[in-house]
Amino acid sequence: MSKLQERIEKRVRAEAEFMISSESTLRTVAKYFGVSTSTVHRDLTQRIKSINPTMAKGARIILDYNKSIRHLRGGFSNKNKWKNIDTREVA
């Protein structure tokens, strides 16, 4: 195995461990590791399966959960955005 493959494998394991332990979103994991969200998504949906199938299942559970509540997070974000805009205009 080349050094590049070893580095990728190490990163994939670290991303999966971080996501599972902290139940983070893709964006949080990407920001923490300094890589793009598409890289994290590929790591946690494709690459992890061949590295550690057990971790792959755990990561899939978190990814599916985050996907199932994303519409709620968007609603809260929008609500807070408009709440802050309204208070600035009144003052």
Side-chain angles (χ1 to χ4, degrees):
M1 186 170 4
S2 72
K3 290 191 180 220
L4 179 62
Q5 288 174 327
E6 288 176 14
R7 243 182 37 217
I8 291 172
E9 186 176 315
K10 194 179 214 181
R11 182 190 71 222
V12 170
R13 286 180 188 269
E15 289 170 352
E17 287 174 11
F18 181 77
M19 178 176 256
I20 292 168
S21 65
S22 63
E23 298 182 1
S24 301
T25 63
L26 275 177
R27 287 182 180 188
T28 306
V29 175
K31 191 172 186 178
Y32 184 82
F33 286 95
V35 294
S36 70
T37 53
S38 58
T39 300
V40 173
H41 188 268
R42 182 179 183 126
D43 289 348
L44 297 178
T45 57
Q46 296 175 4
R47 291 184 176 129
I48 192 71
K49 288 179 186 176
S50 62
I51 296 170
N52 188 334
T54 307
M55 267 190 187
K57 289 178 184 175
R60 173 55 38 198
I61 290 169
I62 302 295
L63 288 168
D64 289 343
Y65 172 74
N66 286 338
K67 188 174 182 179
S68 72
I69 65 165
R70 69 180 170 188
H71 65 285
L72 298 174
R73 285 189 179 156
F76 289 131
S77 179
N78 219 5
K79 179 181 175 182
N80 290 334
K81 173 186 167 186
W82 287 104
K83 183 178 178 184
N84 290 336
I85 288 174
D86 289 345
T87 57
R88 280 186 258 149
E89 288 177 2
V90 174

